[in-house]
Amino acid sequence: MSKLIAFAAIQGGYKVVSEVEGLYQKALATFSADTKVEFPNTAYYLPVIYSLTGLKVETLEDIKKPLAFARGLLPPHVRGKNHLPYLGPLLDAGMAGIIAYEIKEALRIVNQPDFYIAQEDPDIEAGKIWTGPADDTILRKRGVEFVDGSAPGFAAIVGAAPNPEIAKMIVEDYQKKSLYIFCAANHNGNTVIEQLIEAGVQIGWNTRIVPFGPDISSAVFALGFANRAAMTFGGVQPGDHKKILMYNKERIFAFVNALGDIGTEWGVAAAGCVNWGFPTIADTDIPEILPTGICTYEHVVTNVPHDEICQKSIEVRGLKVTVSDIDIPMSFGPAFEGERVRGADLHAQCGGGKTQCTELVKMAQMNEIEDGKIIIDGPDVGDLKVGDTFPLGIFVQIAGREFQSDFEPILERQIHHLVNYIQGIMHIGQRDISWVRISKSAMEKGFTLKDIGVVLHAKFHQDFTKILDKVQVTLYTKQADVDKLTATARDEYHTRDSRVDKMKDEDVETYYSCSLCQSFAPNHVCTVSPERTGLCGAYNWMDCRAAFEINPTGPNQPIEKGECLDPKLGQWKGVNDFVYKASRGAVARYNLYSMVVDPMTTCGCCECIAAMLPGCNGVMTVGRDYPGETPCGMKFTTLAGVMGGGASSPGFVGHSKHNITQGKFILGDGGLLRMVWMPKMLKEEIKDRIEKRGAEMGCPGLYDMIADETVGITEEEILPFLKEKGHPALTMESLIG
């Protein structure tokens, strides 16, 4: 190993730790020792320090221990002669630097609480371009993408490219491969983020280009995000540093791109990242660390040309990505799914309450359609003026020897994602409430409606090759044709929904598993029944059955119920046997209809978490979209942090929004009649279903009896409201026995 590399990293470690010690003493002289220290709206204190050491930094006083720990990690300086060419001292110096950087960023937030903008997307017009540490809502929302593979990893870019065009080229190359791009640090006062803004590229979590901060210390937010993922989804306990680091090496496929001159401060950051198994690939000519050891392959690779840096990074990290080569003039991939088309860049739009936009997938006979045929029936977008609206009907016909009508909604649901994957096109909603916005930039590149058909044809063949043989797409843009398709589609939607809604758990002998999240929550096994949708809300029983038909070796496997051990709580021998095996012996049993007695395991991808409220003899639930306090004393982020690794926690359970009003929702504990509190936004979203289910249970006024945050956020605050309304939970048998 190069003496220069070791010198730079170790020298950088001493420099950074000393600097932060000075900043800390200045903070103590300015603020009281009990001043609160935190990364806002996160449940993991300072996450790198907490995850690796177990130390909870909550006040300025608490910083003393981790800062002393960082000082203790610093190895002896490199000698002029006979230095030891080992990774160990370099890794220790790097870790000391990373810990110091996290403290530095925490002190920045104490001194400048408004430096970072606490939201997914920056406010460029206001000059607030740095988002800082991701809050837990973002972590959980984006964590799903790492679970399902749509985000195979992330590139942490520090510094700046030689010019905005090169910066855009590198970042878009990563976007095409579906990676996140975490950006920090500046080179000679310039940053990749500012270069991208200059090049007209949208930045923010929604486009997977995350502007963490302008200094190299901001890069610690990427490591914090990775460690929080290990604790949130992988169930790794704080303080278990070996498991945290191994989890990241094996499951979080990340790497660093250093663009610009690498000084001692960058050097110590690069050395620190090696502890995680994250290599550094640089564009400058500095000494390399090529032998393998901590990282999967090389540790530091340098002097890489800009047009090769993406592919080289993926190769060095050992990352496997699938790139879809779609023959359209725009870039294509999941990285563009969150891209927004705002008014200034809007060329034309359809749906969204302005016109009708409907989507329908239907099975066809083999001789009825022609594979790859794309029909535009009506004017194309090139015939429209800027600002125009138009109706749109997307009708996809699919034929295949193995295709079934049950598969129609599964493929239909993909239209939303796939259209969104087109750069410059925004898609919201599904079925007959879709909304498509087309940007001027897409039009400048040559977008036509045919490109939507090209994407759907290609991707359906790529993703569902086992069940289909032909795909034909028709896009209607004449009002009469769209209205006709909409009427047909609504009949189909009703037929599908009524078929699922009328099913009962007793009607079937087979349930289905979903183990998609086990890559992050190894002990979690979701059991999906007709009356209990998957925790994430994405799968119902029929979807799982269809998914098993499509992929018999996939995450949705049949579970024979077997002997019923407890009909009230919902426990079956066959389910227990399957769960025990699928959880590798970690979970022996659970109940589908109870949150009090042996509830189902929960992963971090759940839409909602229900918690018992003993003082009200009821339960509450909270969705991931609600950031506030709840009557159980914990926010959603805290609840998910406790349970999200696949735990079965009596008194708590994860579930989907739809499950709240399904017939078997915590029926063993009293069902929906136990619900005494939920956030107003969730309550209003499912109002009609609450009213219907309440009436079925003999309580037609239940909706108005459920408290929300406008009533209170503690049990003491909501109890008078419940008594005034005569909530049924107050007269039911005690929840705690």
Side-chain angles (χ1 to χ4, degrees):
M1 182 182 69
S2 164
K3 182 168 70 175
L4 180 60
I5 286 280
F7 174 82
I10 294 173
Q11 189 74 8
Y14 275 93
K15 179 180 179 181
V16 172
V17 171
S18 296
E19 176 195 0
V20 174
E21 287 172 338
L23 292 173
Y24 180 51
Q25 292 305 317
K26 184 177 180 181
L28 286 175
T30 307
F31 304 95
S32 63
D34 61 356
T35 298
K36 189 176 183 180
V37 174
E38 65 172 351
F39 288 165
N41 198 26
T42 65
Y44 300 102
Y45 310 99
L46 301 189
V48 171
I49 293 170
Y50 180 53
S51 60
L52 296 178
T53 69
L55 295 173
K56 299 178 180 179
V57 176
E58 299 178 85
T59 66
L60 276 178
E61 179 71 23
D62 295 335
I63 288 177
K64 285 183 179 179
K65 287 184 178 180
L67 192 53
F69 181 76
R71 168 64 67 176
L73 283 174
L74 293 173
H77 287 282
V78 174
R79 296 183 179 182
K81 297 180 180 180
N82 302 322
H83 86 284
L84 296 177
Y86 304 137
L87 274 174
L90 181 143
L91 295 175
D92 287 344
M95 187 62 78
I98 293 298
I99 290 172
Y101 278 146
E102 188 167 53
I103 294 171
K104 181 178 180 179
E105 285 296 334
L107 293 174
R108 187 208 295 269
I109 292 173
V110 170
N111 286 293
Q112 300 173 269
D114 296 326
F115 184 85
Y116 294 118
I117 183 168
Q119 59 189 47
E120 286 199 358
D121 295 325
D123 188 343
I124 296 173
E125 292 183 0
K128 303 283 286 186
I129 65 174
W130 305 113
T131 59
D135 68 23
D136 286 349
T137 301
I138 293 174
L139 173 70
R140 298 188 181 288
K141 181 178 179 181
R142 301 297 166 180
V144 176
E145 295 166 356
F146 286 91
V147 170
D148 65 18
S150 63
F154 68 79
I157 299 181
V158 298
N163 57 59
E165 291 72 26
I166 292 176
K168 181 179 180 182
M169 175 195 71
I170 292 172
V171 167
E172 287 192 347
D173 208 356
Y174 285 130
Q175 284 184 301
K176 292 173 187 177
K177 293 171 174 59
S178 306
L179 276 73
Y180 273 83
I181 304 96
F182 293 161
C183 301
N186 69 86
H187 180 243
N188 295 330
N190 201 3
T191 67
V192 162
I193 289 298
E194 290 165 315
Q195 290 177 321
L196 293 175
I197 293 172
E198 184 179 344
V201 177
Q202 290 187 26
I203 61 172
W205 281 96
N206 283 311
T207 56
R208 302 193 179 189
I209 307 169
V210 184
F212 275 142
D215 303 314
I216 188 61
S217 56
S218 309
V220 77
F221 298 143
L223 298 176
F225 184 90
N227 281 20
R228 285 156 63 197
M231 293 186 287
T232 302
F233 300 109
V236 183
Q237 296 302 307
D240 194 341
H241 64 276
K242 290 184 179 179
K243 284 189 177 179
I244 286 281
L245 297 176
M246 286 303 297
Y247 182 97
N248 277 282
K249 177 184 176 181
E250 296 172 356
R251 301 195 182 206
I252 306 295
F253 291 93
F255 50 85
V256 179
N257 281 169
L259 304 181
D261 300 327
I262 298 179
T264 56
E265 293 186 11
W266 283 26
V268 72
C273 290
V274 170
N275 286 280
W276 276 256
F278 299 167
T280 292
I281 297 85
D283 64 350
T284 53
D285 187 13
I286 62 170
E288 299 181 307
I289 305 178
L290 298 181
T292 59
I294 306 301
C295 296
T296 304
Y297 299 115
E298 296 87 354
H299 299 81
V300 177
V301 179
T302 63
N303 206 26
V304 180
H306 294 116
D307 58 353
E308 299 176 13
I309 200 165
C310 176
Q311 188 56 46
K312 187 64 176 180
S313 299
I314 288 171
E315 172 196 331
V316 171
R317 184 60 181 93
L319 176 62
K320 306 297 182 185
V321 298
T322 300
V323 181
S324 302
D325 186 14
I326 307 296
D327 187 19
I328 59 175
M330 295 72 60
S331 296
F332 177 87
F336 302 105
E337 184 176 11
E339 187 179 23
R340 290 170 171 80
V341 176
R342 297 183 171 89
D345 191 35
L346 178 65
H347 176 79
Q349 61 181 315
C350 60
K354 299 170 178 61
T355 64
Q356 182 60 48
C357 184
T358 300
E359 301 163 353
L360 179 65
V361 170
K362 282 294 295 177
M363 184 173 70
Q365 297 301 314
M366 294 288 284
N367 61 351
E368 291 178 338
I369 62 174
E370 178 183 335
D371 185 46
K373 186 175 183 179
I374 300 168
I375 303 168
I376 310 298
D377 192 344
D380 205 335
V381 290
D383 301 321
L384 301 173
K385 298 177 182 178
V386 173
D388 278 354
T389 61
F390 65 100
L392 179 64
I394 302 175
F395 182 43
V396 184
Q397 294 169 280
I398 295 179
R401 295 171 182 83
E402 304 298 325
F403 197 79
Q404 303 173 23
S405 59
D406 287 348
F407 301 161
E408 292 171 350
I410 294 175
L411 273 71
E412 190 174 282
R413 192 177 297 126
Q414 305 305 309
I415 295 175
H416 166 70
H417 301 288
L418 297 178
V419 173
N420 256 329
Y421 289 175
I422 304 173
Q423 186 181 29
I425 308 299
M426 186 178 81
H427 184 289
I428 297 173
Q430 59 180 335
R431 288 190 167 185
D432 61 338
I433 55 171
S434 298
W435 183 13
V436 179
R437 290 168 68 91
I438 302 166
S439 69
K440 294 176 183 175
S441 58
M443 294 299 297
E444 290 170 359
K445 291 184 178 182
F447 173 79
T448 70
L449 289 178
K450 182 180 179 181
D451 295 324
I452 292 178
V454 170
V455 165
L456 297 180
H457 169 260
K459 288 298 293 178
F460 281 173
H461 269 292
Q462 290 176 8
D463 297 344
F464 301 99
T465 184
K466 293 181 179 179
I467 61 168
L468 57 81
D469 298 299
K470 293 183 177 183
V471 178
Q472 178 173 306
V473 182
T474 303
L475 296 110
Y476 298 104
T477 61
K478 291 184 287 190
Q479 188 65 56
D481 293 335
V482 175
D483 290 344
K484 184 177 180 180
L485 177 68
T486 301
T488 301
R490 286 172 177 165
D491 288 340
E492 290 292 334
Y493 304 153
H494 178 74
T495 300
R496 294 173 188 170
D497 292 343
S498 61
R499 182 175 54 182
V500 177
D501 289 341
K502 292 177 181 178
M503 291 185 68
K504 306 293 182 185
D505 283 1
E506 295 81 4
D507 296 339
V508 300
E509 294 302 319
T510 303
Y511 294 160
Y512 286 91
S513 71
C514 185
S515 57
L516 186 65
C517 299
Q518 277 200 342
S519 58
F520 284 91
N523 299 336
H524 176 58
V525 184
C526 196
T527 298
V528 181
S529 71
E531 294 183 272
R532 199 184 200 290
T533 54
L535 308 186
C536 65
Y539 296 97
N540 62 37
W541 183 87
M542 296 196 78
D543 292 334
C544 289
R545 186 183 71 170
F548 174 69
E549 295 263 357
I550 294 171
N551 183 9
T553 61
N556 305 118
Q557 295 295 308
I559 305 174
E560 297 301 324
K561 293 179 353 186
E563 178 187 355
C564 183
L565 303 179
D566 193 322
K568 179 182 177 182
L569 299 180
Q571 186 176 153
W572 292 267
K573 185 178 185 304
V575 174
N576 286 344
D577 291 345
F578 183 94
V579 169
Y580 182 78
K581 182 178 180 181
S583 68
R584 302 168 184 84
V587 182
R589 65 185 180 278
Y590 59 45
N591 296 307
L592 269 68
Y593 307 155
S594 178
M595 61 177 286
V596 177
V597 182
D598 294 329
M600 186 186 291
T601 56
T602 296
C603 75
C605 300
C606 60
E607 281 191 309
C608 305
I609 296 177
M612 196 165 58
L613 298 179
C616 299
N617 200 37
V619 303
M620 56 146 278
T621 192
V622 57
R624 65 171 59 249
D625 298 329
Y626 175 71
E629 300 290 344
T630 73
C632 75
M634 290 180 278
K635 298 179 181 180
F636 179 90
T637 53
T638 306
L639 286 166
V642 172
M643 305 169 56
S648 175
S649 306
F652 304 88
V653 73
H655 59 88
S656 69
K657 293 179 181 179
H658 187 75
N659 184 225
I660 296 171
T661 53
Q662 288 185 289
K664 296 298 193 298
F665 176 69
I666 61 169
L667 195 59
D669 307 322
L672 187 60
L673 296 183
R674 288 282 190 185
M675 187 64 65
V676 298
W677 188 94
M678 65 173 66
K680 185 177 181 181
M681 59 192 299
L682 175 59
K683 181 180 168 184
E684 291 179 347
E685 181 180 342
I686 59 174
K687 177 180 180 180
D688 291 345
R689 300 205 304 270
I690 292 175
E691 291 177 337
K692 180 181 178 182
R693 180 59 182 154
E696 291 173 353
M697 300 184 76
C699 187
L702 181 62
Y703 176 83
D704 294 322
M705 299 178 182
I706 299 173
D708 56 39
E709 69 273 21
T710 65
V711 176
I713 55 172
T714 68
E715 289 192 74
E716 292 75 17
E717 289 173 341
I718 68 172
L719 187 56
F721 173 87
L722 301 176
K723 290 179 178 178
E724 177 188 340
K725 296 292 185 178
H727 197 291
L730 300 178
T731 57
M732 297 171 73
E733 63 179 343
S734 174
L735 259 181
I736 57 178

